[in-house]
Amino acid sequence: MPIEVRNLTHVYMRGTPSEVTALSDISFRIEDGEFVGLIGATGSGKSTLIQHLNGLLKPTSGTVLVDDMDIWAKGSSLKEVRRKVGLVFQFPEQQVFEETVFDDIAFGPENLGLSEDEVKRRVERARQMVGLSEEIMSRSPFELSGGQLRRVAIAGIVAMEPKVLILDEPAAGLDPRGRNEILGNVKRLHESGLTVILVSHNMEDVARLCQRILVLDKGRLVADGSPREVFTRGDLLRSVGLRPPDVVSLMERLRQKGWKVRTDVLTVEEAYEEIVRELNGKG
Amino acid sequence: MPGGVIIGQYYPARSFVHSMDPRAKILISIMFMIILFSGNNFYAFLVVGIYAAASIILSKVPWTVVLRGLRPIAFIMLFTLVLHLFLTPGPVLFQLGPLKATWSGLVQGVFIGVRLIILILFTSLLTLTTSPIELTDGLEDILKPFSRLGVPAHEIAMMMTIALRFIPTLLEEAERIMKAQMARGADFESGNMIQRARGLVPLLVPLFVSAFRRADDLAMAMEARCYRGGEGRTRMRQLRFGAKDFLAFAVTLVMLVLVIYTRVRFGPVISPGTF
């Protein structure tokens, strides 16, 4: 189920002195099964953009197409769009409210009007997807640790069985272990067939996980390409307030020192191989 | 969400009234109410009305903004007018079925209505020309003498300041949680009263949880900066009465004298034997 955005512009507080253009003339198309990273400095419009993809915000101009249907056209159901496009907000644990973990994960599926058995099946599947133990399902969500609670919140969206999953900084504020667990979950969800859009500030995470990267700067789409294409453009990234992954910076500096290494490496392993190759070649 | 929310109804401008001491404005508003309610005839209203109109002109707040304050009470005014019209005994003006409208009822109703209009117009000037922070500062100072009687003046003012500070924050938070729940298929708009009230649970529980957490953090942050209540605390904004304030008090006293004069000279608007 592809998602497409055509000439999307969004203006907050239109017609008042505090009018702000948050997005201007953005176009892209995301196909089934892609894993897309959305990066940009704070205030670049990332959150505004993703809220358009499931119809929480209405474009000031331009169109959003989910499954090649304009979601704001007459006869289009926003509820249906939100079922297909799951959006996990930043710090999603703050939206948890039910008395037990099970009830909270079931909130979404119940809103879809599913039968009790189907709700149970989906909650169970979502629980396994995010790796929560069975015994915590009957506990109060307010007794859980931050990382566990975040997984409960993500499971709440996964249980609605969307086709596309959008996550806004899913690992923000977690310790390294919680981070790895959450990102591992996201990877697993993608492998299970979901289209994933990941918003992140962490270039290493994006470089490691995503197949395609969109870069936003002041409401404009300034780059759209594979991690290798985007991350080798160190100057562009720095000019929009980001920085390339550490390994890319390392390779850039080695090149400045006269080493003949490639700079389009994305992981430590690749960098290691490249450096070893260069050293051997020298030797 | 950029932009932000305007709290209260403060209308920023540079004017005589804006630059007055907030304590003077609060005290004069109280005096004004007492004087207004001691006026018992239309001549008194003429005096008080001129005073109120002059204040509004001096404040440079546009009339359209001031008059907007009347909208919420329009219904109450109409209601009291009708009640007075039909329920006051006296010579009959016209008859509507079993209901008798009387002359004295009409006069009484109009009298109460005019009093309400003047009251709302003038008192709204206080919040229109005084920022919430100034208002709480002024209130704290006025309540201070009562702290001997156990009134926690500083604490009340601090509570008001904090509450005002967090209104926009909580509104923003409510919007964010609402969107998060809408992404989970929650519906805040349709259904009957009971369904809608139930639909608020997913909004209110997280909102309260986060408000309590915020309160905890704020208390900690204040203690970390050595906050120990109002005792011995100095102020960055010192309040000082100036010539403007004394002038305003003087004019208010003149108005009081004039209103007392109309009471003695003309008597109540409706007295036994008016009709």
Side-chain angles (χ1 to χ4, degrees):
Chain A
M1 191 193 65
I3 286 194
E4 189 174 351
V5 163
R6 282 188 200 151
N7 309 101
L8 173 64
T9 295
H10 191 85
V11 182
Y12 282 117
M13 316 280 290
R14 194 166 197 198
T16 69
S18 40
E19 181 177 298
V20 183
T21 304
L23 294 174
S24 59
D25 197 26
I26 292 199
S27 301
F28 59 81
R29 181 180 168 94
I30 293 171
E31 298 292 346
D32 270 0
E34 278 195 89
F35 196 140
V36 180
L38 179 60
I39 60 176
T42 308
S44 57
K46 302 185 297 282
S47 297
T48 307
L49 176 58
I50 56 174
Q51 287 179 36
H52 279 89
L53 301 183
N54 74 342
L56 283 174
L57 286 176
K58 190 174 182 180
T60 307
S61 70
T63 42
V64 177
L65 298 105
V66 171
D67 229 353
D68 295 313
M69 303 256 284
D70 182 351
I71 63 170
W72 290 99
K74 242 199 218 158
S76 168
S77 155
L78 284 176
K79 217 167 174 169
E80 186 63 12
V81 168
R82 287 176 195 150
R83 192 184 67 74
K84 290 187 205 161
V85 182
L87 174 56
V88 180
F89 274 81
Q90 202 171 358
F91 303 117
E93 59 274 22
Q94 292 173 3
Q95 77 196 21
V96 166
F97 70 99
E98 286 280 12
E99 281 168 48
T100 68
V101 171
F102 180 92
D103 287 342
D104 205 86
I105 299 177
F107 178 69
E110 276 167 1
N111 284 329
L112 300 178
L114 301 168
S115 70
E116 204 177 315
D117 288 343
E118 178 64 10
V119 170
K120 268 193 190 143
R121 187 193 69 73
R122 288 190 176 202
V123 172
E124 176 57 20
R125 188 168 165 273
R127 178 187 74 76
Q128 287 171 3
M129 286 284 228
V130 301
L132 286 167
S133 68
E134 214 170 338
E135 57 96 15
I136 71 163
M137 297 305 276
S138 55
R139 280 171 57 189
S140 159
F142 298 103
E143 297 169 7
L144 305 183
S145 73
Q148 280 179 316
L149 195 52
R150 179 137 339 155
R151 276 189 278 168
V152 170
I154 293 175
I157 299 288
V158 171
M160 293 172 77
E161 303 199 342
K163 300 268 170 49
V164 179
L165 185 64
I166 308 172
L167 301 110
D168 191 352
E169 292 276 7
L174 294 181
D175 57 23
R177 177 146 150 237
R179 238 191 134 73
N180 283 337
E181 282 171 358
I182 292 280
L183 293 173
N185 287 331
V186 174
K187 196 165 173 225
R188 204 137 35 102
L189 287 163
H190 174 244
E191 284 159 4
S192 79
L194 282 169
T195 309
V196 175
I197 302 174
L198 177 69
V199 177
S200 181
H201 272 122
N202 188 307
M203 299 303 134
E204 272 73 26
D205 293 345
V206 178
R208 197 156 43 93
L209 293 165
C210 302
Q211 303 158 340
R212 177 179 167 196
I213 292 186
L214 304 179
V215 184
L216 278 186
D217 178 43
K218 300 187 192 81
R220 289 176 187 282
L221 189 62
V222 292
D224 175 358
S226 73
R228 259 176 238 285
E229 286 162 8
V230 172
F231 283 134
T232 46
R233 297 171 68 187
D235 294 337
L236 170 91
L237 289 175
R238 277 182 277 265
S239 76
V240 301
L242 299 170
R243 54 162 188 80
D246 288 340
V247 286
V248 174
S249 303
L250 173 69
M251 298 316 247
E252 280 178 353
R253 281 167 80 170
L254 286 175
R255 264 189 97 89
Q256 281 166 13
K257 296 228 185 252
W259 291 46
K260 291 185 187 60
V261 288
R262 294 185 358 237
T263 53
D264 60 339
V265 294
L266 292 173
T267 62
V268 176
E269 289 75 26
E270 276 179 21
Y272 173 78
E273 272 169 33
E274 184 65 16
I275 292 171
V276 167
R277 191 191 54 74
E278 170 72 8
L279 283 174
N280 286 339
K282 266 185 183 169
Chain B
M1 181 100 177
V5 188
I6 297 153
I7 321 165
Q9 43 172 2
Y10 180 57
Y11 185 91
R14 284 166 169 276
S15 78
F16 185 93
V17 184
H18 280 80
S19 61
M20 277 171 63
D21 188 303
R23 292 170 298 179
K25 284 193 264 189
I26 295 170
L27 291 176
I28 287 177
S29 296
I30 296 169
M31 283 168 71
F32 183 89
M33 282 188 245
I34 295 168
I35 296 168
L36 180 64
F37 279 90
S38 56
N40 61 356
N41 54 59
F42 283 106
Y43 297 100
F45 285 170
L46 190 66
V47 175
V48 178
I50 289 171
Y51 175 91
S55 308
I56 291 169
I57 292 165
L58 270 179
S59 76
K60 292 189 189 161
V61 179
W63 280 96
T64 49
V65 175
V66 183
L67 289 172
R68 215 179 288 154
L70 288 178
R71 216 181 296 159
I73 61 146
F75 174 75
I76 299 175
M77 273 177 19
L78 204 70
F79 189 67
T80 45
L81 180 67
V82 171
L83 274 190
H84 276 106
L85 186 61
F86 289 108
L87 296 179
T88 316
V92 176
L93 180 63
F94 62 88
Q95 204 154 356
L96 215 76
L99 295 168
K100 288 185 189 107
T102 60
W103 272 108
S104 37
L106 183 66
V107 174
Q108 189 78 12
V110 170
F111 180 80
I112 302 273
V114 171
R115 182 184 267 172
L116 255 169
I117 290 173
I118 297 176
L119 178 75
I120 298 294
L121 287 185
F122 186 81
T123 48
S124 69
L125 210 54
L126 176 65
T127 47
L128 281 169
T129 62
T130 321
S131 73
I133 290 292
E134 277 184 298
L135 210 56
T136 47
D137 275 0
L139 210 63
E140 177 177 357
D141 232 54
I142 289 171
L143 289 177
K144 210 177 268 169
F146 298 101
S147 57
R148 275 162 207 257
L149 304 173
V151 178
H154 171 76
E155 283 71 15
I156 291 175
M158 182 56 84
M159 270 161 55
M160 277 175 64
T161 311
I162 292 174
L164 287 167
R165 156 65 183 79
F166 279 99
I167 289 171
T169 310
L170 287 181
L171 281 178
E172 225 166 78
E173 189 124 320
E175 194 190 310
R176 208 169 45 78
I177 294 169
M178 225 158 140
K179 276 182 176 168
Q181 304 299 23
M182 274 157 77
R184 295 212 276 167
D187 194 344
F188 292 103
E189 272 128 29
S190 56
N192 59 34
M193 283 274 281
I194 296 166
Q195 282 168 329
R196 273 195 207 200
R198 281 178 55 102
L200 284 178
V201 173
L203 170 63
L204 291 180
V205 172
L207 198 58
F208 272 99
V209 169
S210 95
F212 279 117
R213 200 180 39 234
R214 259 178 219 288
D216 233 23
D217 289 349
L218 181 67
M220 199 81 89
M222 285 167 79
E223 288 198 348
R225 292 197 272 168
C226 303
Y227 178 74
R228 286 282 176 278
E231 206 125 328
R233 194 160 176 251
T234 53
R235 286 267 190 87
M236 188 170 83
R237 291 176 301 272
Q238 298 278 359
L239 298 177
R240 217 165 261 131
F241 279 113
K244 284 176 182 174
D245 305 303
F246 290 115
L247 184 65
F249 275 118
V251 175
T252 311
L253 285 177
V254 170
M255 174 176 72
L256 174 65
V257 171
L258 286 174
V259 168
I260 291 171
Y261 173 76
T262 62
R263 272 182 80 101
V264 176
R265 173 74 177 72
F266 303 105
V269 63
I270 302 224
S271 55
T274 305
F275 296 102

